[in-house]
Amino acid sequence: MKDNTQILTIITYAVLLSAVSVLINDIREFDLNQFREFTNWAKAADKNDSWFTSENAIEWSFYAISTVIFFWRGYLIYAFYHFLPILREIKKGNYFSDKNIKYFKKIGNIFIWYTINVLVLRFLLASIGESTFDFFDELKHEFTFLIPCGLAFYILAEVFKKAKQHKEDNELTI
Amino acid sequence: MPIIVNLDVMLAKRKMKSKDLAEIIGITTANLSILKSGKAKAVRFSTLEAICKALNCQPSDILEYTEE
């Protein structure tokens, strides 16, 4: 088991590093290209337009929402990070510890919230006319599988909770 | 818990030490202490049998039920 946890830890680190590097690269591209385009456009925009209905506000919304999507992607990576303390606990032999239960719940939470929030943000992006939004099309996206994954982690947390209780009962059986 | 363990009383009656009983029945003193303090969630029949044999008593001498 210890050898397996070692391999799993290495894989988790690899996944984390690649996810972080992809995110950083996306942020860099977003800043350098899109934000520069926006600032140039903002300089040339008509200042007499009313703020709320102006294209300026719409563009701002687009960039703000895109930034929030980056935040959520970072939050998803934070969920992957929680695999490491779980693996550490398993390595120590504490399979049904409170920490594991807490982390499973946290991962489940993050997966579900990420999916819901990104769906909402994509809908908002579509509503401001920057992209198209089809709910069923969005459901086909890979990230939507994170909802069943999140639920699976919730179930796992419940199973571990029960297992911990049984373990304690077993330890207190003389 | 409404089940009370009177192991202390039986040990005193038989003038036996906890350590000796633990050795005879083959459990650790820590486990015997859990049993004596009433923290135990369950007792195996084999343990109960060994205790009754060592103390020459009945299960009812060790375990008692009281209303909460």
Side-chain angles (χ1 to χ4, degrees):
Chain A
M1 189 66 192
K2 272 192 177 176
D3 290 339
N4 284 346
T5 46
Q6 196 70 35
I7 293 163
L8 285 170
T9 309
I10 293 165
I11 293 170
T12 312
Y13 267 117
V15 169
L16 271 175
L17 282 174
S18 52
V20 168
S21 58
V22 166
L23 180 64
I24 289 170
N25 187 49
D26 284 355
I27 291 171
R28 192 180 58 90
E29 278 179 8
F30 177 77
D31 272 342
L32 289 178
N33 304 321
Q34 289 174 304
F35 195 74
R36 192 174 296 159
E37 274 173 34
F38 169 68
T39 45
N40 287 340
W41 174 86
K43 277 175 199 164
D46 186 3
K47 303 283 188 297
N48 295 324
D49 274 356
S50 69
W51 184 84
F52 191 71
T53 52
S54 70
E55 243 181 281
N56 198 345
I58 291 167
E59 284 283 322
W60 261 116
S61 317
F62 170 72
Y63 286 106
I65 290 167
S66 302
T67 315
V68 177
I69 287 178
F70 283 131
F71 164 78
W72 280 104
R73 278 175 63 189
Y75 199 50
L76 186 67
I77 294 168
Y78 178 61
F80 291 138
Y81 164 78
H82 284 107
F83 286 121
L84 292 172
I86 291 172
L87 286 167
R88 231 173 288 150
E89 283 290 304
I90 291 170
K91 216 173 176 180
K92 279 186 212 164
N94 305 332
Y95 303 104
F96 310 113
S97 66
D98 280 330
K99 274 185 188 173
N100 280 358
I101 296 164
K102 192 180 87 187
Y103 289 135
F104 277 134
K105 268 191 186 162
K106 215 167 185 179
I107 293 169
N109 254 337
I110 294 173
F111 279 8
I112 291 168
W113 276 109
Y114 169 82
T115 314
I116 292 169
N117 281 290
V118 170
L119 265 175
V120 169
L121 289 171
R122 283 192 186 196
F123 172 74
L124 286 174
L125 271 182
S127 66
I128 59 170
E130 292 290 344
S131 62
T132 54
F133 184 86
D134 179 354
F135 185 74
F136 292 103
D137 212 36
E138 292 292 331
L139 282 178
K140 286 179 199 161
H141 280 257
E142 275 178 9
F143 77 87
T144 322
F145 288 106
L146 286 172
I147 283 190
C149 272
L151 286 173
F153 274 104
Y154 264 127
I155 293 164
L156 214 56
E158 279 305 306
V159 169
F160 268 58
K161 210 170 157 184
K162 286 277 168 205
K164 189 189 165 247
Q165 209 177 321
H166 284 298
K167 190 184 165 238
E168 278 171 3
D169 282 357
N170 193 41
E171 278 169 358
L172 288 172
T173 299
I174 313 296
Chain B
M1 210 148 98
I3 300 290
I4 295 169
V5 182
N6 291 320
L7 199 58
D8 267 342
V9 180
M10 278 314 290
L11 279 169
K13 275 184 187 171
R14 299 288 184 263
K15 289 178 181 139
M16 196 187 273
K17 285 179 182 169
S18 299
K19 199 186 161 192
D20 298 332
L21 181 67
E23 256 177 46
I24 294 166
I25 62 176
I27 62 168
T28 60
T29 43
N31 274 347
L32 192 68
S33 168
I34 290 169
L35 188 60
K36 271 167 59 184
S37 61
K39 283 178 188 165
K41 295 251 176 156
V43 185
R44 286 190 193 93
F45 277 149
S46 56
T47 313
L48 194 60
E49 186 191 327
I51 293 169
C52 289
K53 200 176 171 184
L55 296 174
N56 190 24
C57 64
Q58 291 299 312
S60 59
D61 295 328
I62 301 162
L63 303 173
E64 189 189 331
Y65 171 76
T66 49
E67 291 277 353
E68 261 185 321

